[in-house]
Amino acid sequence: MALTIKKVTMPADKVPIKCPYTMTPTRIVIHNTANDASALNEIKYMQSNNNQVSFHYAVDDKMAVQGIELWRNAWHAGDGGSEKSLGNRQGIAIEICYSKSGGERFIKAEQNAAELAAQLLIDFGWGLDKITKHQDYSGKYCPHRTLDMGWDRFVKMVEEKRNALLKANKAADVTKTTLNGYTIERAKDFSILYWDKSKKKGTAQSYINGGFFGVYKEGNITFTLPVGNLICDVIPDSRLVYSVQKYWKPYVSGGKFRYGTADNVSGQFRGKKVTTLVLPTNGAPYVDELSAAPVSSRYAISGIPVIRNGVDVSYNSFVKPQGWDDSPFYATSRNFIGLKGTSLWIVTGTSKTANFVATSEVYEKIKDFGFNDLIALDGGGSYYHKYEGKAAFVWSDRDVSNLVAFG
């Protein structure tokens, strides 16, 4: 059975204390808690106090609990707070529970931590040299019980877990399936390109309602801009007239179009934190509520949250406060992006109810696939993705002759 990973969101008022900096992880740092509390209790205590001590994961004999996003730093390695601090500013901290008393609970917790570390190595494409210990940075004898039992033994355990996971992943490499009328297809070589075309050019069967791109007009020219966060590719060859270029050129840098809710011309979403899928330059994709995607991201796209952290979302308490009104939710053909573990999937299907989030219609139909996160995408010609190296519009295969100059 795969390791269960529970995610507990860091309270906003604790972020400046516990994880104030963004980071690009380059390593894993192993710790022992020197305590006998469960993983959930360790995370909750860490998040509740005002000490500048923090870590990304705690792992016990039953599960791993994540308390800090992997793109934010934590204070755990004792090597300072500057950008050159390899442990605190670049390390993913894993605390192994029940190390005070040891025994069977610690043995199992250490095995689970080895599995978590192995999965992170796979996610980030790292070798075993990226498994480090607290002692490497500050000299502290930590992880004390793991060191007592043999550090090389632990690294060997991680290697064995990694090999087993890779073998299992290969055996279960399903790339396309259907579930209750929805097509679920793995998105390999995923990229996002903005396609500036009126959303209602297609028939009701060929465009996807979503409401995440606003339609604007400049004279007789119609164009669209995001109302949330978007980082996507730029096409060098421009066919946009200057009057439209002025709306998007200020947001182009580093070969990408970068647009956040702070840039939103609509007051509906302006400055709000909206559910966004982020594909980092390094590491695994993730979903978070953001007012701007990290500038280092390769791609980012916001959408309507349907599943978050494995559970059905509440329309009134979670979705609506982000700025969504009822307009994007009526019954129509739809596309979604989902995360299962660290793999990315495109979901297509037709919603039948007036508000597919409030009724839990989509969640009930595809929950058995096991998505960690799922967001509904806007459509009607706003962007497309690549699948296995081939350009394919999210909602249908289309002639690319109408593509404009930015992604």
Side-chain angles (χ1 to χ4, degrees):
M1 181 180 292
L3 176 66
T4 298
I5 301 177
K6 179 182 177 64
K7 196 171 184 180
V8 181
T9 301
M10 175 68 70
D13 63 328
K14 299 296 185 181
V15 170
I17 301 170
K18 298 293 183 177
C19 49
Y21 300 108
T22 59
M23 79 169 186
T24 300
T26 64
R27 65 202 60 225
I28 297 167
V29 185
I30 301 297
H31 303 260
N32 286 173
T33 62
N35 198 6
D36 281 339
S38 69
L40 186 58
N41 285 342
E42 293 284 2
I43 290 293
K44 287 185 174 180
Y45 177 74
M46 180 271 290
Q47 292 182 339
S48 67
N49 63 53
N50 290 321
N51 302 325
Q52 284 186 304
V53 177
S54 54
F55 40 90
H56 296 90
Y57 293 99
V59 187
D60 62 21
D61 57 331
K62 295 181 173 61
M63 64 179 174
V65 182
Q66 182 180 356
I68 296 176
E69 299 286 355
L70 300 188
W71 53 274
R72 300 204 71 88
N73 82 297
W75 304 122
H76 56 93
D79 63 343
S82 74
E83 293 184 7
K84 295 182 180 180
S85 304
L86 299 179
N88 280 337
R89 293 294 294 274
Q90 297 183 29
I92 298 172
I94 298 177
E95 289 276 1
I96 305 176
C97 298
Y98 300 130
S99 62
K100 182 178 181 180
S101 299
E104 287 302 316
R105 289 193 305 180
F106 174 77
I107 296 296
K108 181 57 178 175
E110 195 185 50
Q111 292 171 352
N112 285 340
E115 182 171 341
L116 173 61
Q119 186 61 61
L120 289 170
L121 293 183
I122 294 171
D123 293 344
F124 285 90
W126 292 339
L128 290 170
D129 60 311
K130 300 300 184 181
I131 302 293
T132 66
K133 52 191 181 296
H134 186 176
Q135 186 184 44
D136 296 332
Y137 303 96
S138 66
K140 181 178 180 179
Y141 193 71
C142 177
H144 69 283
R145 191 169 293 279
T146 296
L147 289 171
D148 287 348
M149 295 170 65
W151 177 249
D152 290 343
R153 167 201 60 87
F154 178 77
V155 174
K156 181 68 174 177
M157 191 191 314
V158 174
E159 182 180 27
E160 292 171 353
K161 296 281 188 182
R162 183 185 63 176
N163 292 341
L165 286 170
L166 288 171
K167 185 176 180 180
N169 290 345
K170 186 175 181 180
D173 190 22
V174 176
T175 59
K176 189 173 182 178
T177 188
T178 58
L179 186 62
N180 294 321
Y182 282 78
T183 299
I184 304 173
E185 188 169 12
R186 183 172 294 182
K188 298 180 180 178
D189 189 24
F190 184 85
S191 62
I192 302 170
L193 175 70
Y194 192 70
W195 187 37
D196 184 34
K197 192 176 179 66
S198 173
K199 287 198 284 295
K200 307 264 174 145
K201 290 289 185 184
T203 66
Q205 288 73 39
S206 66
Y207 74 82
I208 307 302
N209 176 59
F212 213 83
F213 287 80
V215 179
Y216 301 93
K217 289 187 178 180
E218 180 78 19
N220 61 352
I221 298 171
T222 300
F223 62 101
T224 59
L225 283 174
V227 295
N229 306 305
L230 179 68
I231 297 179
C232 51
D233 289 327
V234 175
I235 300 175
D237 166 32
S238 175
R239 286 184 289 268
L240 280 179
V241 298
Y242 176 75
S243 61
V244 174
Q245 287 182 12
K246 68 183 180 183
Y247 289 100
W248 59 265
K249 273 195 171 181
Y251 307 109
V252 174
S253 63
K256 299 283 185 183
F257 178 65
R258 304 172 188 274
Y259 196 92
T261 58
D263 308 307
N264 177 13
V265 297
S266 166
Q268 181 181 354
F269 292 87
R270 186 170 178 83
K272 293 185 177 181
K273 291 187 176 181
V274 181
T275 302
T276 305
L277 168 78
V278 178
L279 280 72
T281 302
N282 295 298
Y286 63 88
V287 173
D288 198 5
E289 281 63 56
L290 303 171
S291 56
V295 294
S296 61
S297 307
R298 290 189 301 120
Y299 300 104
I301 185 77
S302 294
I304 302 167
V306 179
I307 298 174
R308 283 292 281 122
N309 298 320
V311 299
D312 189 14
V313 301
S314 166
Y315 174 69
N316 287 321
S317 64
F318 187 75
V319 178
K320 203 169 183 178
Q322 294 186 14
W324 299 102
D325 57 25
D326 294 335
S327 61
F329 292 92
Y330 58 80
T332 188
S333 302
R334 298 188 175 279
N335 286 284
F336 308 80
I337 294 183
L339 276 179
K340 183 176 183 180
T342 58
S343 59
L344 199 62
W345 299 77
I346 299 294
V347 180
T348 57
T350 301
S351 62
K352 305 292 187 182
T353 56
N355 188 323
F356 62 89
V357 175
T359 63
S360 299
E361 176 200 346
V362 175
Y363 172 78
E364 290 296 332
K365 287 183 177 179
I366 64 174
K367 64 181 181 181
D368 290 342
F369 190 73
F371 282 115
N372 303 94
D373 298 283
L374 186 75
I375 62 173
L377 297 175
D378 182 69
S382 292
Y383 48 82
Y384 77 96
H385 72 283
K386 283 183 178 179
Y387 175 72
E388 294 184 340
K390 296 181 179 180
F393 289 101
V394 172
W395 50 276
S396 65
D397 294 328
R398 292 292 293 259
D399 176 14
V400 298
S401 61
N402 290 313
L403 288 175
V404 297
F406 60 104

